[in-house]
Amino acid sequence: MKYYDKLIFELSVPGRVGYSLPKNKFENYNVEDIDNNLKRESGLELPSVGELDVVRHYTNLSQMNFGVDTGFYPLGSCTMKYNPKINEEICSMPQFAAMHPLQPVECAQGALEIYYNLAKSLAAISGLSEFTLNPFAGAHGELTGLMIMRQYHILRGDFNRTKVIVPDSAHGTNPASAAVAGLEIIEVKSTPGGTISIEDLKPLLDNTIAGIMMTNPNTLGIFESEIPQIAELVHAAGGLLYYDGANLNPMLGKCRPGDMGFDIMHINLHKSFSTPHGGGGPGCGPVGVRAGLEDLLPAPHVRKNAQGQFFIENCDSSFGSVSQYFGNFGVMLRAYTYILSLGKENIKYVGPLSVLNANYVKESLKDCYELPIEGVCKHEFVFDGLKDKSTGVTTLDVAKRLLDYGYHAPTIYFPLLFHQAIMIEPTETESKETLDAFINVMKTVAREASENPDIVKSAPHNTPITRVDELKAAKQPVLKFGDF
């Protein structure tokens, strides 16, 4: 019987001791009386539990979670790649962990140097001129980039540019960020091959367009091969090109957004540069710009003088600040460690290996799962559910059944272009043995869906909880054990 089958949470036994609290050292001091409304009416009922029971309890609870350290995590579009443990070792060094954000600049030269060097490294990798690391997340980076886009047009007196073009295959954060930035969203359609339709784009370009947001490779895992023409058209209309860097991973070492003609981009350090994420954070969404737009980056900026000292600078042409201090420094440390560990001679393998892994899985499964777009993908790909849909087994059913085999489910029902979408991204860090095992399980589920569909439709069977009413779980969540 597994630990969670028992759901034992009441472990307290009177008289059992795991730790003795030190004597109250304030007992003999005169302290201000506590208001009677704040005083307890009875003694504090701390649990009486032995240390071994406590350790086992929390260790067993931790094993109910799923993470990239415990199993394969093929979550498409999120790039759940391995976080090397040296990243954590560097990040937890007391020289960094004990720093205070209000320390004088003179006492934070090392941290500022890392910030400065990481920004320069990202500029070299992306082909852009300068970066800010201040945004706290990818969506926050998108918002920052769009605010830079608006500021660019405002400073030129071009107040009519209040619209941004977003592809129908875009991440959901793209239109959301544009709306928060006060821009009207104009959708551009995709071709049957999954890329932006040039013919649909042309009539959208006029003097009201601030720019276009593009993800490359796009959400279908397909490289946007018409970028040079798109850049020419958008620039000729007076707009800017924004690069959503969420899918930068397969590009690393092979091509650079700045060389393609993009003016602004954000990078998800917690995707392409291995830092851990999920559960709402942490994250970091650096934003880079081409030459000529550097002064529009949000303040404050980290600069380096002729004597090699680092200092803080603000700029009047910037729209202001997007975060307190300098963003998530711990995430930056991990990313910088990752970049230095690989070096420029090895970072060039990240993209090709992620592309190799994705195509290997895709080609191995396309006889069982419907592949709506043939051809070479990049880091991820999308199936449109099972090839055999006769038994009524849905993408959700497949995802739930994968949990029984110890795998986190891929992204499902996204992008919205396909009704039964299954988006899979293996990343470059997974071995062939891991991929082969996952492929075999996916084939097993496909076979079960045809031969014994009920076992798939009722999955999962051996997880801490069985299938939940997801709508009710979202609207009426159970947040405490006593409500079960």
Side-chain angles (χ1 to χ4, degrees):
M1 180 180 287
K2 295 181 180 178
Y3 180 81
Y4 52 72
D5 289 335
K6 309 173 196 175
L7 284 175
I8 299 174
F9 282 83
E10 295 299 331
L11 301 175
S12 183
V13 176
R16 191 161 293 169
V17 177
Y19 178 74
S20 296
L21 294 172
K23 187 176 180 180
N24 182 4
K25 63 181 179 180
F26 299 105
E27 194 171 37
N28 297 322
Y29 289 84
N30 292 323
V31 294
E32 185 176 346
D33 288 338
I34 300 174
D35 190 288
N36 287 331
N37 293 328
L38 300 177
K39 290 181 179 180
R40 297 184 59 87
E41 295 181 358
S42 59
L44 183 61
E45 296 182 5
L46 293 174
S48 299
V49 186
E51 180 177 329
L52 180 57
D53 291 329
V54 172
V55 170
R56 284 176 177 166
H57 174 70
Y58 285 106
T59 300
N60 279 301
L61 285 181
S62 72
Q63 292 174 348
M64 293 168 64
N65 294 326
F66 194 97
V68 74
D69 282 356
T70 59
F72 183 39
Y73 211 133
L75 200 64
S77 193
C78 281
T79 314
M80 301 296 287
K81 66 199 290 183
Y82 176 65
N83 173 48
K85 294 301 168 267
I86 189 174
N87 296 1
E88 296 302 312
E89 184 177 343
I90 297 298
C91 185
S92 61
M93 291 175 62
Q95 294 91 330
F96 295 126
M99 290 190 66
H100 193 283
L102 291 179
Q103 281 186 223
V105 170
E106 296 77 15
C107 300
Q109 287 292 295
L112 294 179
E113 181 176 359
I114 287 172
Y115 184 105
Y116 182 88
N117 288 344
L118 176 57
K120 292 296 182 185
S121 298
L122 296 178
I125 290 169
S126 65
L128 294 169
S129 177
E130 191 171 322
F131 268 81
T132 176
L133 310 182
N134 298 0
F136 285 123
H140 195 195
E142 286 180 19
L143 176 61
T144 300
L146 290 167
M147 292 169 74
I148 291 171
M149 185 183 289
R150 291 211 67 180
Q151 183 76 349
Y152 167 80
H153 292 301
I154 288 171
L155 291 178
R156 296 169 67 246
D158 207 347
F159 301 107
N160 292 326
R161 296 189 180 273
T162 58
K163 301 176 182 177
V164 63
I165 298 172
V166 178
D168 57 4
S169 64
H171 291 119
T173 52
N174 285 186
S177 298
V180 173
L183 293 163
E184 181 183 346
I185 297 96
I186 306 297
E187 185 179 85
V188 59
K189 300 295 184 184
S190 296
T191 66
T195 57
I196 289 176
S197 169
I198 299 294
E199 295 310 309
D200 194 59
L201 173 66
K202 288 178 180 178
L204 303 179
L205 296 170
D206 57 29
N207 62 3
T208 67
I209 297 298
I212 184 172
M213 300 184 77
M214 292 180 62
T215 305
N216 189 44
N218 62 29
T219 308
L220 297 171
I222 300 171
F223 187 86
E224 293 280 357
S225 57
E226 301 296 332
I227 287 177
Q229 186 178 358
I230 293 172
E232 183 179 350
L233 290 169
V234 174
H235 286 151
L240 298 179
L241 269 73
Y242 181 89
Y243 189 105
D244 179 338
N247 292 348
L248 183 65
N249 208 54
M251 302 290 98
L252 292 181
K254 280 299 177 183
C255 54
R256 308 190 305 173
D259 300 334
M260 302 175 193
F262 285 92
D263 305 288
I264 308 168
M265 78 170 293
H266 88 269
I267 293 177
N268 292 34
L269 293 189
H270 50 283
K271 291 188 180 183
S272 299
F273 296 95
S274 85
T275 61
H277 68 293
C284 187
V287 173
V289 293
R290 64 161 169 82
L293 301 180
E294 297 93 340
D295 289 344
L296 301 182
L297 289 169
H301 304 151
V302 176
R303 306 294 192 204
K304 184 179 180 180
N305 62 25
Q307 292 73 41
Q309 297 172 321
F310 298 91
F311 63 98
I312 309 302
E313 181 182 74
N314 291 306
C315 183
D316 292 339
S317 58
S318 167
F319 59 80
S321 178
V322 296
S323 61
Q324 288 183 316
Y325 311 112
F326 294 95
N328 282 328
F329 186 63
V331 178
M332 299 174 203
L333 273 172
R334 293 177 177 93
Y336 189 52
T337 303
Y338 177 74
I339 291 171
L340 292 182
S341 298
L342 288 177
K344 65 180 181 181
E345 67 275 15
N346 289 313
I347 201 168
K348 64 184 179 183
Y349 295 116
V350 171
L353 287 175
S354 68
V355 172
L356 175 64
N357 281 354
N359 281 277
Y360 178 65
V361 176
K362 171 177 66 70
E363 292 299 311
S364 299
L365 292 176
K366 67 179 185 180
D367 290 338
C368 303
Y369 294 84
E370 185 177 340
L371 183 64
I373 299 177
E374 291 279 357
V376 176
C377 67
K378 293 303 179 229
H379 63 307
E380 65 189 8
F381 58 93
V382 179
F383 288 129
D384 192 5
L386 288 158
K387 212 161 194 178
D388 177 11
K389 295 181 172 63
S390 63
T391 59
V393 173
T394 66
T395 283
L396 177 63
D397 297 330
V398 172
K400 296 296 186 183
R401 184 60 173 152
L402 281 173
L403 303 181
D404 285 331
Y405 288 100
Y407 291 98
H408 193 285
T411 299
I412 60 173
Y413 299 124
F414 182 81
L416 303 178
L417 296 175
F418 305 115
H419 183 60
Q420 292 292 326
I422 305 174
M423 183 192 292
I424 298 173
E425 179 182 1
T427 80
E428 76 286 351
T429 49
E430 299 296 345
S431 67
K432 183 176 181 296
E433 291 76 17
T434 297
L435 299 183
D436 285 337
F438 175 71
I439 289 166
N440 288 334
V441 166
M442 288 288 285
K443 289 180 177 179
T444 298
V445 174
R447 185 170 60 253
E448 290 175 340
S450 296
E451 300 173 357
N452 189 8
D454 287 343
I455 197 172
V456 184
K457 292 179 179 180
S458 57
H461 303 284
N462 57 8
T463 50
I465 58 172
T466 55
R467 192 177 302 204
V468 298
D469 182 332
E470 297 191 359
L471 181 61
K472 185 176 180 181
K475 292 189 173 183
Q476 300 175 21
V478 176
L479 302 177
K480 56 185 180 179
F481 177 70
D483 289 343
F484 278 103

